[in-house]
Amino acid sequence: MQLEIRPDPAEVGRARRWARSRIAGSGIEADEPLAETLILLISELVTNAVVHTGCPAVLRLSLPGVEAGEATVRLEVADSSTRAPVPRCVGDEATGGRGLALVDGLADRWGWSVEGPGKRIWCELDRCARPVDGAGHGGAAEHGSAAECGGAAGCGGAAEGDAAAEVGAGAGAFRSPVYEGFAYEAV
């Protein structure tokens, strides 16, 4: 399923509403951590497309059926801009520039690739709980990596796996990377 996005900041809210309606029909509960994370990822990737490219985009969402149990949810945003996502470091006082750092921290896998005259940025979430004592998330794939910004040494931020914060409590709690000024921005 897909949604065409105009280069207008109001489209971010429309994309979230569209995704919520699709999630509701997929068997994923609205208050499930997967649903909340997916909406945040959609918001970040659509915002990047709208704000940083000035081009129309297409949001694609692939949701597993409720009977799938453990499955992968895939989100893609394709645009006609040839501008690649480039890592950038932001200070503590910056009000933006952390979108792809959030994607890196929340998605199990993400990356980007050239698509026709533009690009496609994608991320995937596994529909299963990641235990606190697990190995963490899959990180970047294809293009994009926390190491490209120099990790903790390059910009004072935490590279993938350097630090983590526990979200939730008890068995089945999730680990989420802590980012201290490390960010990506599609420019």
Side-chain angles (χ1 to χ4, degrees), residues 3-18 46-47 50-51:
L3 175 69
E4 293 187 16
I5 305 290
R6 295 180 310 271
D8 175 359
E11 290 289 88
V12 178
R14 187 171 77 94
R16 284 192 302 261
R17 288 187 298 278
W18 176 85
V46 170
T47 296
V50 167
V51 171

Side-chain angles (χ1 to χ4, degrees), residues 132 163-168 173-179:
V132 171
E166 190 169 310
V167 180
F174 294 86
R175 285 179 66 82
S176 176
V178 175
Y179 289 88

Side-chain angles (χ1 to χ4, degrees), residues 27-97:
I28 299 171
E29 298 297 323
D31 61 348
E32 203 174 312
L34 175 66
E36 295 171 357
T37 301
L38 188 57
I39 295 301
L40 178 57
L41 291 169
I42 287 168
S43 187
E44 294 301 332
L45 291 183
V46 170
T47 296
N48 279 355
V50 167
V51 171
H52 299 296
T53 72
C55 300
V58 175
L59 167 61
R60 294 182 188 107
L61 188 56
S62 174
L63 297 167
V66 69
E67 69 283 347
E70 291 187 15
T72 299
V73 176
R74 185 174 176 101
L75 157 66
E76 301 178 358
V77 176
D79 61 57
S80 58
S81 171
T82 58
R83 297 168 70 181
V86 176
R88 79 175 188 146
C89 302
V90 297
D92 292 340
E93 301 298 316
T95 59

